[in-house]
Amino acid sequence: MDEIKSSKLLSKSELQLWLVLFMCPKLGIVALKRLELLLPNLLGIFKLPDSELPVFKLTPMQISKLRNPDWHYIDRLMEWLDKHNVSVIPFNHEFYPTLLLNTSRPPVLLFTQGNIELLNQVQMAFVGSRNPTAYGCQVTKNLVAELVRLNLVITSGLAIGIDGIAHKAALSANGSTIAVLGSGLNNVYPKRHLSLAEQIVEQNGLLISEFLPDVPPIQFNFPKRNRIIAGLSNGTVVVEAAIKSGSLITAQSAVEEGRDVFAVPGSIYNALSEGCHHLIKQGAKLITCVDDITEEYSGLPQPVHYSMKKGLAGDKLLASVGHDTTPVDVIVQQSNMPLEQVLERLLSLEVEGLIMSVPGGYLKVCT
């Protein structure tokens, strides 16, 4: 990583000029891409005489900001970036993620902390409820664990709920994960995930933001974050989402960019399943196991299915446990087995990781 930073990322002077461009009002990605078509080097605009700048459709205010930036602020900003090992990647840099660049609204700059080599690796996004059920939590853990075994990077938004569970599951499985923030890197949100953010960087993961470091987590920023999550990823997995939620915004962004959307089904009586069921009706792929995801991508190794799971379809007691909480008396009734035998078998299945004990009974977690 040190070699990459010193040899291929921005020099100090280039970083200064990119920050000036970034902070110039109303000079977004569309305008900069237009300028790039007219100039051999985008940063060459700083070498042009004032008389030529209006030719490039720059307003007097923009010209003033380019000519007289707040150098004191920029110097302090660069000191902070250097102190915290933050790499800044412009949209036309070779390390800028290709999938994100090919979206309709790629960020002008990415402020990154951690392993930037993850940016162009195969990624799968996970989004969902901030208050998931035990079923949603376990499904996320299982899918993530199997995907990281196939060397996929898990990308999410560091939020409470499914986001955080996905990040933690990737780290627990010694996999790679990317967290996209809806705030600046000096304003990690939510605060309770500050230690998780630090752990992601420590375990060779990556934090990303398109905002200046001190930008707070205001509501308007999160749809922007969601488009980056979808834009970075080959596909987006939605686990438990209400019909009106940010997860569906991410899914919609993925659809607009021609990416795959996968939805985990749930109970028709659970409001958190309504968003997933809506996506399935709209054409998202219903998934019940990791194979449903990996079969969409050629070149990925297929998951290994361990022998202890063979013959599970014929396990009468396991078949009596649902993906929603199933009381013990219902399991006894449906399996038609004695209570003592049921309790013994439930313990065995829990040890094998096929079911889990939750308040009110058990739920199935195998796929």
Side-chain angles (χ1 to χ4, degrees):
M1 285 302 300
D2 291 339
E3 182 180 348
I4 290 173
K5 286 185 178 181
S6 63
S7 64
K8 294 189 177 180
L9 290 183
L10 305 177
S11 67
K12 181 177 179 180
S13 59
E14 288 173 333
L15 178 56
Q16 285 177 325
L17 297 180
W18 270 109
L19 291 173
V20 173
L21 281 175
F22 183 71
M23 291 186 284
C24 185
K26 297 184 179 180
L27 196 60
I29 189 65
V30 174
L32 289 174
K33 282 189 171 183
R34 184 182 69 240
L35 286 173
E36 191 177 35
L37 294 175
L38 301 173
L39 294 168
N41 179 355
L42 191 53
L43 297 182
I45 195 168
F46 291 97
K47 297 180 180 180
L48 296 176
D50 288 357
S51 58
E52 293 186 26
L53 293 180
V55 176
F56 296 96
K57 297 184 179 180
L58 295 174
T59 66
M61 180 178 66
Q62 288 173 327
I63 293 172
S64 175
K65 291 293 184 181
L66 293 177
R67 289 295 189 243
N68 304 289
D70 186 347
W71 289 117
H72 179 65
Y73 173 76
I74 290 175
D75 287 343
R76 286 191 291 111
L77 175 57
M78 291 182 62
E79 288 178 8
W80 187 92
L81 296 172
D82 182 63
K83 178 180 178 181
H84 293 86
N85 297 314
V86 173
S87 299
V88 179
I89 307 177
F91 72 92
N92 61 358
H93 194 279
E94 62 177 308
F95 277 15
Y96 196 94
T98 303
L99 285 181
L100 184 60
L101 182 62
N102 290 333
T103 61
S104 58
R105 296 168 293 147
V108 173
L109 297 181
L110 292 177
F111 295 87
T112 67
Q113 191 174 32
N115 182 9
I116 60 175
E117 293 181 347
L118 299 180
L119 287 171
N120 280 298
Q121 294 185 19
V122 179
Q123 298 174 42
M124 190 61 56
F126 274 76
V127 296
S129 172
R130 283 172 169 74
N131 297 290
T133 65
Y135 164 71
C137 295
Q138 196 63 43
V139 166
T140 302
K141 292 176 183 177
N142 288 358
L143 290 175
V144 167
E146 295 202 55
L147 288 170
V148 299
R149 289 193 196 105
L150 303 176
N151 294 319
L152 270 70
V153 177
I154 303 302
T155 300
S156 198
L158 202 68
I160 302 298
I162 295 298
D163 288 27
I165 292 165
H167 291 307
K168 292 174 184 176
L171 296 175
S172 295
N174 296 316
S176 299
T177 186
I178 295 175
V180 184
L181 277 61
S183 56
L185 291 175
N186 197 32
N187 249 325
V188 172
Y189 178 84
K191 291 298 182 185
R192 74 176 80 173
H193 275 174
L194 180 58
S195 60
L196 174 58
E198 293 171 349
Q199 185 182 1
I200 288 172
V201 175
E202 289 170 2
Q203 291 191 221
N204 213 30
L206 183 67
L207 304 181
I208 297 177
S209 175
E210 68 171 315
F211 305 108
L212 289 168
D214 289 325
V215 170
I218 58 177
Q219 185 177 3
F220 182 68
N221 290 349
F222 291 97
K224 291 184 176 182
R225 176 205 63 180
N226 293 346
R227 91 184 192 287
I228 297 177
I229 294 172
L232 284 169
S233 305
N234 297 72
T236 296
V237 179
V238 185
V239 184
E240 292 193 327
I243 196 67
K244 293 182 179 180
S245 69
S247 301
L248 267 63
I249 295 175
T250 308
Q252 181 60 38
S253 295
V255 170
E256 290 172 358
E257 301 300 343
R259 310 293 166 78
D260 298 312
V261 176
F262 305 97
V264 176
S267 168
I268 62 173
Y269 302 110
N270 183 358
L272 291 179
S273 298
E274 290 180 1
C276 291
H277 294 165
H278 171 75
L279 291 173
I280 292 167
K281 290 177 181 178
Q282 298 300 311
K285 183 174 182 180
L286 183 155
I287 61 170
T288 60
C289 61
V290 74
D291 303 58
D292 295 332
I293 299 173
T294 58
E295 68 186 8
E296 298 296 323
Y297 304 101
S298 60
L300 287 180
Q302 292 304 303
V304 175
H305 298 287
Y306 298 98
S307 58
M308 75 172 191
K309 293 190 177 183
K310 291 181 180 178
L312 290 178
D315 190 314
K316 184 168 56 173
L317 189 138
L318 182 61
S320 302
V321 182
H323 286 291
D324 290 317
T325 302
T326 311
V328 172
D329 60 334
V330 173
I331 299 172
V332 170
Q333 181 180 13
Q334 292 184 352
S335 65
N336 197 28
M337 294 167 61
L339 175 60
E340 185 175 328
Q341 188 178 349
V342 165
L343 294 176
E344 182 179 346
R345 182 64 181 136
L346 287 173
L347 178 60
S348 176
L349 290 172
E350 188 172 11
V351 170
E352 291 177 14
L354 303 177
I355 64 172
M356 67 181 296
S357 175
V358 295
Y362 290 82
L363 59 82
K364 187 183 296 182
V365 297
C366 64
T367 55

